[in-house]
């Protein structure tokens, strides 16, 4: 399962995603995070990794995933079904 979440605001958004359906989820997943402190932020020759993806592990409890979406971010959540 792949979820794509966008936070275009200038504040962190905390929330839970509840998955439906009959399949169970693995207890671990990953989130690939792309964020910038500034909505106009770009990579440059002077700073080529100012905005670069960062992968982090996440925990899944039952069919629920709790996430904190940083300001100005795109998150790609990957979950495995059992």
């Amino acid at each position: 399962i792949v979820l794509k979440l966008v936070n275009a605001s200038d504040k962190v958004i905390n929330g839970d995603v509840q998955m439906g359906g009959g399949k169970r989820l693995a207890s671990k997943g990953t989130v690939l995070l792309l964020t910038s402190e500034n909505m106009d932020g770009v990579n440059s020759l002077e700073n080529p990794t100012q905005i670069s993806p960062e992968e982090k592990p996440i925990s899944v409890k039952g069919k629920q995933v709790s996430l904190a979406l940083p300001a100005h971010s795109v998150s790609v959540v990957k979950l495995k079904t059992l």
Side-chain angles (χ1 to χ4, degrees):
I1 297 173
V2 177
L3 304 170
K4 298 174 185 174
L5 306 165
V6 176
N7 180 3
S9 75
D10 60 354
K11 296 182 175 144
V12 173
I13 296 176
N14 293 302
D16 298 325
V17 177
Q18 183 72 36
M19 305 300 293
K23 293 195 176 190
R24 292 181 29 222
L25 299 175
S27 63
K28 303 276 185 201
T30 60
V31 62
L32 186 64
L33 182 63
L34 192 63
T35 187
S36 174
E37 302 224 355
N38 180 344
M39 283 293 283
D40 297 324
V42 295
N43 291 343
S44 64
L45 291 176
E46 295 81 27
N47 193 354
T49 60
Q50 178 178 340
I51 303 171
S52 57
E54 179 182 354
E55 188 170 68
K56 298 179 179 182
I58 55 172
S59 295
V60 180
K61 293 185 176 130
K63 291 189 176 186
Q64 181 173 310
V65 178
S66 297
L67 297 166
L69 304 176
H72 311 295
S73 68
V74 174
S75 299
V76 179
V77 178
K78 294 180 182 177
L79 306 170
K80 291 184 180 180
T81 57
L82 300 174

